[in-house]
Amino acid sequence: MSVGGRLCHVGVSMGIAVFPDDADDMDTLIRRADNAMYEVKRRWQEQRSHL
């Protein structure tokens, strides 16, 4: 992707939580999805450090 003539690298992170299995209200559902995202990122970083 280019912005203002400069090359930019873009990445995406997301976590998934399912209603009503993971939570019964929106705030908890969002918090659990956020926690899932950070858990995956943590595990990915650990794997990279062992390479």
Side-chain angles (χ1 to χ4, degrees):
M1 167 186 267
S2 179
V3 177
R6 301 187 92 179
L7 182 62
C8 298
H9 297 275
V10 179
V12 175
S13 298
M14 72 175 180
I16 297 174
V18 178
F19 177 83
D21 296 337
D22 296 320
D24 57 5
D25 64 88
M26 184 176 63
D27 291 334
T28 304
L29 193 64
I30 291 170
R31 187 172 58 252
R32 293 209 172 139
D34 199 41
N35 289 341
M37 177 189 67
Y38 284 112
E39 177 65 17
V40 169
K41 289 177 84 168
R42 183 188 66 77
R43 289 181 186 187
W44 186 76
Q45 294 259 337
E46 284 179 2
Q47 282 185 328
R48 285 187 59 202
S49 69
H50 292 121
L51 296 178

